[in-house]
C-alpha cells in the first residue's frame, strides 16, 4: 500500500509540474465595474461531482504541457455551462489532461461570463477573453515549441458557441485591448455538441438569454448565429453531436452546411 501511495504521489507531482496558470490580463480585467470585491463562486455538484464556476473576475489560461510532445499544434479549450457557469473540470481541465497525455499542448480558458452586474458591456467579455487567449498563445508559441499557424479552439455546448464565435468574428477584435499585429483567427475548431445558432427553433434559449438578455433584437440574433457568419476564411471544423443532446443537433448540421458551402473542410 505504501508503495502504491508513493507512486501515486510521484505521478501527481509530475502532473502538477506540467500545469501552469496564467492570468489573461495584467491588473483588473477590462470592463470590471469599479468598487466590486467579488469572490469567485465555486460549487461541486453533490450528485455528479462537477465543479461549476461563476462570478469569474480574473480570467486565466491553465496550461497542460505534455511530457512527451507529439505535435506542434495547440488547442484552447472553452468549457460549457450555458453562459451561466463553467463546467470547469468536466469540460475543461479533464480535457486538457487528455490532450497532454497524447502529446498535445492544451490551454484551458477560464473565461468571464456575461454578467451585467459585474461588467460593462458584458456580452463581449467571453469573446474578448478567447481573443486574448489566442493572442497569448501566438505571441508565446516559441516558448511552448508551437507552430503559431496551428492554434485551434475547442468548445463544449455554450463553450462551443464561444469557439465558433471566435472562428467567425475574428476580423473584429473586441474590447479595450487590441493588437492588430496578432491574428486572432483560430486555425481550426473542435466543437462538441455546440450551440451555434441563436435563431428561433434552433437556439439553446438559456445560452442566448444569458449572453444577450431576453429582450434580444433581430440584429443581435443574426450577429451571434454563427452559421450565418461563415465566410471563405472561417477555419475548418470537426464536430461531435448526438441527436439526443440537450443542444439541438441542427446547430451542428447548419454549421457544417455553411462551411461546406464555402468549400471549407468540416466533418
Amino acid at each position: 500500500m505504501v508503495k502504491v501511495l508513493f507512486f501515486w504521489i510521484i505521478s501527481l507531482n509530475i502532473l502538477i509540474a506540467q500545469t501552469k496558470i496564467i492570468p489573461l490580463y495584467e491588473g483588473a480585467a477590462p470592463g470590471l465595474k469599479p468598487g466590486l470585491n467579488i469572490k469567485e463562486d465555486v460549487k461541486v455538484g453533490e450528485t455528479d461531482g462537477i465543479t461549476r464556476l461563476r462570478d469569474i473576475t480574473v480570467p486565466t489560461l491553465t496550461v497542460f504541457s505534455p511530457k512527451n510532445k507529439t505535435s506542434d499544434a495547440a488547442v484552447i479549450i472553452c468549457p460549457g455551462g450555458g453562459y451561466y457557469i463553467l463546467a470547469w473540470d468536466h469540460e475543461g481541465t479533464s480535457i486538457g489532461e487528455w490532450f497532454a497525455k497524447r502529446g498535445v499542448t492544451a490551454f484551458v480558458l477560464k473565461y468571464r461570463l456575461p454578467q451585467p452586474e459585474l461588467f460593462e458591456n458584458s456580452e463581449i467579455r467571453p469573446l474578448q477573453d478567447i481573443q486574448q487567449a489566442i493572442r497569448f498563445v501566438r505571441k508565446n508559441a516559441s516558448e511552448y515549441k508551437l507552430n503559431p499557424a496551428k492554434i485551434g479552439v475547442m468548445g463544449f455546448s455554450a463553450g462551443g458557441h464561444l469557439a465558433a464565435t471566435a472562428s467567425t468574428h475574428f476580423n473584429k477584435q473586441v474590447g479595450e485591448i487590441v493588437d492588430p499585429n496578432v491574428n486572432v483567427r483560430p486555425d481550426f475548431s473542435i466543437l462538441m455538441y455546440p450551440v451555434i445558432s441563436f435563431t428561433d427553433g434552433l437556439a439553446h434559449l438559456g445560452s442566448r438569454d444569458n449572453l444577450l438578455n431576453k429582450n434580444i433584437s433581430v440584429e443581435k440574433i443574426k450577429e451571434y448565429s454563427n452559421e450565418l457568419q461563415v465566410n471563405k476564411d472561417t477555419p475548418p471544423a470537426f464536430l461531435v453531436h448526438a441527436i439526443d443532446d440537450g443542444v439541438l443537433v441542427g446547430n451542428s448540421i447548419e454549421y457544417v452546411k455553411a462551411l461546406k458551402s464555402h468549400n471549407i473542410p468540416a466533418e
Side-chain angles (χ1 to χ4, degrees), residues 113 247 265:
L113 297 162
V247 176

Side-chain angles (χ1 to χ4, degrees), residues 209 212-218 220:
D209 292 348
L212 300 176
N213 74 55
K214 293 183 179 180
N215 300 317
I216 188 171
S217 68
V218 173
K220 284 293 183 182

Side-chain angles (χ1 to χ4, degrees), residues 33 44 54 147 153 215 222-223 246 251:
K33 291 184 175 181
V44 178
R54 185 165 165 80
N147 184 336
V153 291
N215 300 317
K222 182 177 179 181
E223 180 183 352
N251 282 266

Side-chain angles (χ1 to χ4, degrees), residues 30-257:
L32 183 66
K33 291 184 175 181
L36 292 178
N37 185 19
I38 302 294
K39 184 179 180 181
E40 188 171 295
D41 184 24
V42 181
K43 288 187 172 65
V44 178
E46 294 182 1
T47 57
D48 57 19
I50 295 172
T51 300
R52 293 169 171 86
L53 307 183
R54 185 165 165 80
D55 297 338
I56 298 159
T57 58
V58 181
T60 63
L61 280 174
T62 301
V63 188
F64 289 84
S65 298
K67 186 178 179 183
N68 299 304
K69 255 173 95 66
T70 61
S71 173
D72 60 355
V75 61
I76 298 168
I77 300 165
C78 305
Y83 283 123
Y84 185 79
I85 57 95
L86 298 187
W88 180 240
D89 47 357
H90 179 58
E91 296 171 342
T93 54
S94 65
I95 310 302
E97 292 173 4
W98 187 92
F99 274 103
K101 287 176 182 177
R102 288 154 180 81
V104 179
T105 305
F107 299 81
V108 181
L109 176 61
K110 184 194 289 185
Y111 59 91
R112 289 172 293 164
L113 297 162
Q115 295 179 250
E117 71 274 19
L118 300 182
F119 306 107
E120 304 288 353
N121 199 8
S122 61
E123 77 175 59
I124 72 166
R125 302 308 167 184
L127 180 57
Q128 181 181 39
D129 288 352
I130 194 171
Q131 289 186 342
Q132 179 72 355
I134 294 169
R135 285 189 205 102
F136 174 85
V137 177
R138 284 228 164 90
K139 286 181 177 179
N140 295 277
S142 59
E143 176 184 343
Y144 295 99
K145 297 180 174 59
L146 301 173
N147 184 336
K150 294 182 181 179
I151 308 301
V153 291
M154 179 180 192
F156 297 76
S157 191
H161 184 267
L162 181 56
T165 305
S167 300
T168 53
H169 291 65
F170 50 82
N171 284 325
K172 180 183 178 182
Q173 298 190 26
V174 301
E176 300 83 350
I177 298 174
V178 298
D179 187 347
N181 296 315
V182 180
N183 183 2
V184 295
R185 173 190 178 274
D187 295 300
F188 60 89
S189 64
I190 305 170
L191 307 177
M192 311 293 287
Y193 41 92
V195 177
I196 294 290
S197 184
F198 277 178
T199 59
D200 293 338
L202 278 182
H204 182 265
L205 295 180
S207 298
R208 187 175 82 175
D209 292 348
N210 288 329
L211 184 64
L212 300 176
N213 74 55
K214 293 183 179 180
N215 300 317
I216 188 171
S217 68
V218 173
E219 291 75 18
K220 284 293 183 182
I221 288 176
K222 182 177 179 181
E223 180 183 352
Y224 285 95
S225 292
N226 291 312
E227 81 280 13
L228 303 179
Q229 304 302 325
V230 171
N231 62 40
K232 63 181 180 59
D233 297 318
T234 303
F238 174 74
L239 302 94
V240 177
H241 212 136
I243 291 173
D244 61 352
D245 278 325
V247 176
L248 294 175
V249 72
N251 282 266
S252 286
I253 292 171
E254 291 303 314
Y255 195 62
V256 169
K257 285 167 62 177

